[in-house]
Amino acid sequence: MGHRIEATLGPALSGDLSTLFDVGGIVGGIAAGVVSDYTGMYATTCSVMLTFAAPMLFVYEKFGTYNFSVNIILLLIAGLLVNGPYALITTAVSAELGTHHSLQGNSKALATVTAIIDGTGSIGSCSLDWLCQNYGSGFFFDKVDHDNAVNIRLHKLCAFNVF
């Protein structure tokens, strides 16, 4: 068995490791797009990915410090499962709105609606960053993954009303 890595990493190494989450998200976005284009089922694709994303955050919390290899693999998988549906939702909704008859080729309206959709997703990210910075020590920081898992489940429920 391997040894557990130190729970507190330096800023440079933490930043490098967090990039792997984004790399997983790129792969997840591509995979979600391919699957949804092939099947035509956007909501089902998002729902399946989000079903596995919430438990994956708990798996990462439990086993992410086992060693660096496990940490890297789990970050890639978590990024794939969390950011894949996000990419699909923002692009698919924008594409659907782009073909809606009420816009009738109004590119400014489409750009505004797309920005609102994308910006709304950023509210959670910004507020979570603020909470971590201001209340990061102690009880709250340990529960960030739990909060994200609950949010993922709520987003999964909402996905069926969008598509």
Side-chain angles (χ1 to χ4, degrees), residues 95-155:
E96 290 292 323
L97 288 172
T99 60
H100 196 269
H101 70 278
S102 65
L103 292 179
Q104 298 176 356
N106 186 346
S107 62
K108 289 182 181 181
L110 175 60
T112 301
V113 172
T114 302
I116 290 169
I117 292 167
D118 207 25
T120 302
S122 300
I123 291 172
S125 176
C126 292
S127 62
L128 188 58
D129 288 345
W130 181 83
L131 288 170
C132 287
Q133 289 172 5
N134 291 292
Y135 303 102
S137 60
F139 179 77
F140 174 77
F141 192 71
D142 295 336
K143 304 303 177 204
V144 170
D145 287 339
H146 299 221
D147 179 52
N148 283 337
V150 169
N151 286 336
I152 286 170
R153 289 185 180 122
L154 292 173
H155 286 100

Side-chain angles (χ1 to χ4, degrees), residues 64-96:
T65 59
Y66 182 69
N67 65 40
F68 279 111
S69 298
V70 171
N71 193 327
I72 289 168
I73 291 167
L74 294 178
L75 278 171
L76 288 168
I77 295 170
L80 182 142
L81 294 172
V82 171
N83 285 347
Y86 168 76
L88 181 61
I89 290 168
T90 57
T91 56
V93 170
S94 297
E96 290 292 323

Side-chain angles (χ1 to χ4, degrees), residues 15-103:
D16 290 343
L17 286 174
S18 71
T19 302
L20 296 170
F21 184 85
D22 295 329
V23 171
I26 293 167
V27 174
I30 293 168
V34 168
V35 169
S36 65
D37 284 347
Y38 180 73
T39 63
M41 297 186 292
Y42 301 109
T44 303
T45 303
C46 286
S47 180
V48 168
M49 291 180 83
L50 291 174
T51 297
F52 291 107
M56 186 62 207
L57 294 176
F58 293 111
V59 169
Y60 179 75
E61 180 184 29
K62 178 85 172 159
F63 300 108
T65 59
Y66 182 69
N67 65 40
F68 279 111
S69 298
V70 171
N71 193 327
I72 289 168
I73 291 167
L74 294 178
L75 278 171
L76 288 168
I77 295 170
L80 182 142
L81 294 172
V82 171
N83 285 347
Y86 168 76
L88 181 61
I89 290 168
T90 57
T91 56
V93 170
S94 297
E96 290 292 323
L97 288 172
T99 60
H100 196 269
H101 70 278
S102 65
L103 292 179

